[in-house]
Amino acid sequence: MPKRCFSLLVALTWVAMTITEAFTIPLPGGRSISLDEGGILRIQLGDASTLPTAPPSGTLAQPSTLESIQVRDTGTIKSFGAFCTQPLVKETFLGFYEGKLINIKSSSSEDISELVKTTDYVMSLDGGATFMEGFERAQDRDIFSPVHLNHADKASAGCNCLRVLSSQGGQVAFFIARDVNIGEELCFDYGENYWKGREIQKI
């Protein structure tokens, strides 16, 4: 990142820390800096204009989309995964990540303990305070959900899905990142933070 842009981000971050009301400031190149109602500061360094827009909260994937995806055993260490039974085109909405909402600040010790036990199915919604724990939903393999998606490195051909944080907060939407053919497994990049401390397990 150019030094001038970095300095601008630092300045905007300082401004954000002195303001208590939610806001969004657009930056050049589709970037932005925002503060949500929960006090979470977000800095979008990538060009958000190239990403699909998350639909309104509560929107479901089309029945035809769900019928085009089968959850089955991968036959590998990954256990179960989601596979295309019919072609899916780029930017097809796959649904929101499903599970139990857990806020670290207000959750019981039992909820926190459960969160630690089922980290394979935990999705961060705001970088560390709020999580969606999808273990229980993942056990239902009759109907596809984004909780069934396995990992593939972003730079690899196997990474054919992407996630987008809803502007309304509290939800993560999943989309097809490129046209996908019959028989392909649907995967997205879990991100570097997921693999910290478990690099030896990376698949």
Side-chain angles (χ1 to χ4, degrees):
M1 179 189 301
K3 186 175 182 180
R4 182 171 53 185
C5 291
F6 178 76
S7 298
L8 176 60
L9 284 175
V10 171
L12 288 172
T13 301
W14 180 85
V15 171
M17 293 174 66
T18 65
I19 300 175
T20 57
E21 295 183 2
F23 69 85
T24 298
I25 301 175
L27 300 175
R31 301 171 176 85
S32 67
I33 182 170
S34 62
L35 185 74
D36 67 19
E37 295 179 355
I40 302 298
L41 180 67
R42 304 181 191 281
I43 299 176
Q44 174 67 47
L45 296 179
D47 186 354
S49 65
T50 63
L51 298 175
T53 302
S57 177
T59 302
L60 302 176
Q62 292 293 323
S64 58
T65 298
L66 298 179
E67 292 168 1
S68 299
I69 305 172
Q70 179 187 40
V71 180
R72 60 177 173 82
D73 196 329
T74 64
T76 70
I77 193 174
K78 293 191 293 185
S79 187
F80 287 85
F83 293 82
C84 268
T85 58
Q86 295 294 327
L88 291 173
V89 299
K90 182 178 179 180
E91 296 194 3
T92 296
F93 175 58
L94 298 175
F96 288 105
Y97 199 84
E98 300 177 276
K100 182 178 182 179
L101 190 65
I102 298 177
N103 187 291
I104 297 297
K105 298 177 182 178
S106 59
S107 293
S108 65
S109 58
E110 289 79 7
D111 284 340
I112 302 300
S113 177
E114 191 65 25
L115 186 69
V116 173
K117 292 178 183 177
T118 59
T119 54
D120 285 352
Y121 296 95
V122 172
M123 176 73 62
S124 174
L125 302 181
D126 54 19
T130 311
F131 299 86
M132 187 75 75
E133 192 279 295
F135 176 78
E136 186 172 335
R137 174 61 182 88
Q139 306 316 301
D140 178 3
R141 305 184 184 104
D142 292 332
I143 300 178
F144 165 78
S145 167
V147 300
H148 296 119
L149 297 174
N150 282 320
H151 167 82
D153 286 339
K154 187 175 182 179
S156 71
C159 185
N160 49 29
C161 298
L162 58 85
R163 55 183 168 177
V164 177
L165 184 66
S166 170
S167 60
Q168 301 173 30
Q171 288 192 311
V172 179
F174 282 78
F175 296 87
I176 294 294
R178 60 166 174 79
D179 291 351
V180 180
N181 297 315
I182 295 175
E184 285 192 72
E185 183 181 3
L186 300 179
C187 299
F188 76 102
D189 192 321
Y190 286 7
E192 294 181 2
N193 286 338
Y194 177 87
W195 295 108
K196 285 181 179 178
R198 59 173 86 182
E199 289 82 1
I200 195 172
Q201 303 173 27
K202 193 171 183 181
I203 50 177

